[in-house]
Amino acid sequence: MSTNRFYTTPVGEATWDVPMTGDARFTWEYDENREKLLALYQKGKDKQWDSVKRIDWDIEVDPYDALGMPDQSLAIYGTRHWEKMDERERKRVRHHAAAWQFSQFLHGEQGAMITGARIVETVPDLDAKLYSATQTMDEARHVEIFSRFLHEKLGLVYPINGKLQDLLGETLGDSRWDMPYLGMQVLIEGLALAAFGVIRDASTKPLPKQILAYVMQDEARHVAFGRLALRDYYAQLSAAELREREDFVIEGCYLMRDRLRGVEIWENFGIPRAEAQEMLRDSPYIRMFQSLLFSRIVPCVKDIGLWSERIRQAYDDMGVLEMSKGDLDALMRQDEEIAERIEVERFAAEEAARRREVDEVIAEASIS
């Protein structure tokens, strides 16, 4: 089934071609011994899973209330546009908002899959190549999952947000081997983890909760990988080289804060772009959500050694400097625990359902 029939705006059949830059690097040193990276590689192998079997795709989803999020999470809530809508139109808004959010997750995961393969190709160290290979498989699974949710449960897909596409292009188009790490593992994955977490914790619907919890279990390892690899490398760079990386981080963070807001949704409801941007800017929920998006990025940037006065000032201007005190390791442990708890609860519910079926069969047999 072609995805084109589900897109809100036609995207055409052409691929998006990003020119290849930089070198493909082979190494003849096969005895790499960075224990933490190799431990992550082992964990990456141990934690592989099959989305067809682990996720309960039989759960029914109401496309007009797919996430079970409060209406206050919609930028349009409380505006004159919302007040004029009847319930049928409000259902359409909920449908489009969920589709836009999960569409950007889908496109971002394809970018992560391609970036993982790019890191395998360009990174000079074998242990990093080994781990990136497991990440590439993880990201392929995530593409599969978000694609299936959009096709089978929502029946609606949004094109990639232009600014997300710009950031992916810059991440993949840089010839320096560490830039895909910085753009993907720190910025895009850090942003995605935070967004996943907000929706995972607020959603009242079991299927998106499952999906996001299991995906986050993988993504936490990916961010840890970026931290380990970049922390070692950035400790060796000159002040001028570090400044170039800081420029990339600052520009990328402003771009994500100011542009990844979903203006496209509201244009589909006839709201002019300028008014939609103002509506998004004034929404208390959107402001809170965008602030939380940096809860994973800011402490990670600090951890890898990009923590100059310029970086701190930029984060202070954005109002997110306090997030540098966040404990990334604690957040990752929490992501693991939540996924494991959902897994236990799911299997307990399935076991209880099987017991009820057996009891019913026994009861019917005794009556007959």
Side-chain angles (χ1 to χ4, degrees):
M1 183 183 297
S2 172
T3 304
N4 278 309
R5 65 193 292 262
F6 293 118
Y7 273 113
T8 56
T9 304
V11 296
E13 299 291 341
T15 58
W16 175 42
D17 299 334
V18 180
M20 299 290 285
T21 58
D23 299 321
R25 293 179 173 86
F26 287 80
T27 177
W28 311 125
E29 176 52 73
Y30 293 100
D31 189 25
E32 294 287 353
N33 58 4
R34 284 186 291 183
E35 291 183 4
K36 289 185 177 180
L37 266 181
L38 290 175
L40 268 180
Y41 171 54
Q42 184 61 47
K43 193 172 186 180
K45 291 188 293 180
D46 292 340
K47 295 290 186 177
Q48 292 296 317
W49 50 279
D50 186 345
S51 68
V52 174
K53 298 176 181 177
R54 192 181 190 193
I55 292 174
D56 186 0
W57 292 106
D58 291 332
I59 295 174
E60 292 187 8
V61 172
D62 177 359
Y64 300 105
D65 188 23
L67 305 182
M69 300 282 284
D71 286 337
Q72 288 85 343
S73 66
L74 301 168
I76 200 173
Y77 181 81
T79 68
R80 62 185 180 87
H81 300 288
W82 178 261
E83 299 305 325
K84 288 192 301 183
M85 290 179 173
D86 59 20
E87 185 54 29
R88 181 179 178 184
E89 194 71 358
R90 289 178 179 179
K91 284 183 176 181
R92 283 191 63 234
V93 167
R94 297 181 193 112
H95 186 199
H96 276 251
W100 182 86
Q101 188 72 75
F102 273 67
S103 294
Q104 303 319 310
F105 292 162
L106 169 62
H107 302 314
E109 294 296 343
Q110 184 184 175
M113 178 177 66
I114 291 170
T115 303
R118 184 79 173 125
I119 292 173
V120 173
E121 180 183 30
T122 60
V123 70
D125 304 309
L126 186 67
D127 47 11
K129 289 181 184 293
L130 293 173
Y131 179 78
S132 294
T134 69
Q135 177 178 346
T136 304
M137 182 60 226
D138 289 344
E139 307 297 5
R141 181 168 55 248
H142 302 167
V143 170
E144 174 194 352
I145 290 166
F146 287 121
S147 175
R148 184 170 180 178
F149 185 78
L150 286 161
H151 282 81
E152 296 183 6
K153 304 301 183 180
L154 295 186
L156 187 70
V157 182
Y158 268 79
I160 187 171
N161 176 277
K163 296 305 177 182
L164 175 58
Q165 187 168 356
D166 289 346
L167 187 54
L168 282 171
E170 290 180 24
T171 296
L172 289 165
D174 199 297
S175 62
R176 294 166 291 187
W177 67 261
D178 67 295
M179 297 308 280
Y181 277 91
L182 187 57
M184 181 54 67
Q185 314 289 74
V186 176
L187 298 185
I188 297 175
E189 297 261 85
L191 176 107
L193 261 174
F196 293 164
V198 171
I199 298 173
R200 177 198 64 191
D201 297 341
S203 175
T204 58
K205 303 297 182 180
L207 185 57
K209 252 181 145 45
Q210 269 186 38
I211 288 171
L212 293 172
Y214 297 158
V215 168
M216 288 183 74
Q217 198 173 29
D218 292 341
E219 300 290 8
R221 294 195 304 275
H222 305 166
V223 173
F225 167 52
R227 289 168 62 197
L228 286 171
L230 292 179
R231 187 191 303 148
D232 290 348
Y233 182 60
Y234 287 170
Q236 308 167 26
L237 296 187
S238 67
E241 290 170 323
L242 289 173
R243 186 180 182 86
E244 291 174 351
R245 275 74 177 173
E246 290 167 2
D247 288 340
F248 179 81
V249 167
I250 292 170
E251 181 183 352
C253 286
Y254 272 116
L255 184 151
M256 290 188 292
R257 187 196 69 170
D258 297 337
R259 294 291 181 262
L260 292 178
R261 292 178 171 180
V263 172
E264 310 95 292
I265 303 171
W266 313 116
E267 289 182 312
N268 278 331
F269 286 85
I271 301 174
R273 174 169 285 263
E275 187 176 350
Q277 288 173 332
E278 182 180 352
M279 185 176 74
L280 287 157
R281 193 167 52 246
D282 293 341
S283 166
Y285 179 88
I286 296 299
R287 288 201 302 270
M288 180 273 293
F289 182 76
Q290 288 180 316
S291 176
L292 289 174
L293 291 182
F294 289 89
S295 62
R296 309 278 182 137
I297 294 174
V298 176
C300 188
V301 169
K302 180 181 180 181
D303 183 67
I304 63 177
L306 297 180
W307 202 238
S308 67
E309 179 59 33
R310 295 171 63 244
I311 287 274
R312 293 196 297 272
Q313 186 60 56
Y315 284 144
D316 196 26
D317 292 344
M318 292 182 205
V320 297
L321 182 61
E322 279 295 304
M323 291 184 177
S324 64
K325 300 174 183 176
D327 186 337
L328 282 175
D329 294 321
L331 287 171
M332 288 190 294
R333 283 195 301 272
Q334 183 184 59
D335 292 338
E336 290 268 3
E337 290 164 2
I338 289 173
E340 289 167 2
R341 184 169 69 246
I342 288 175
E343 185 95 325
V344 168
E345 291 170 355
R346 180 191 158 198
F347 283 114
E350 290 177 354
E351 183 63 28
R354 282 194 291 270
R355 282 199 300 270
R356 283 194 300 271
E357 289 177 5
V358 171
D359 291 343
E360 288 170 3
V361 170
I362 293 172
E364 288 177 6
S366 63
I367 291 172
S368 59

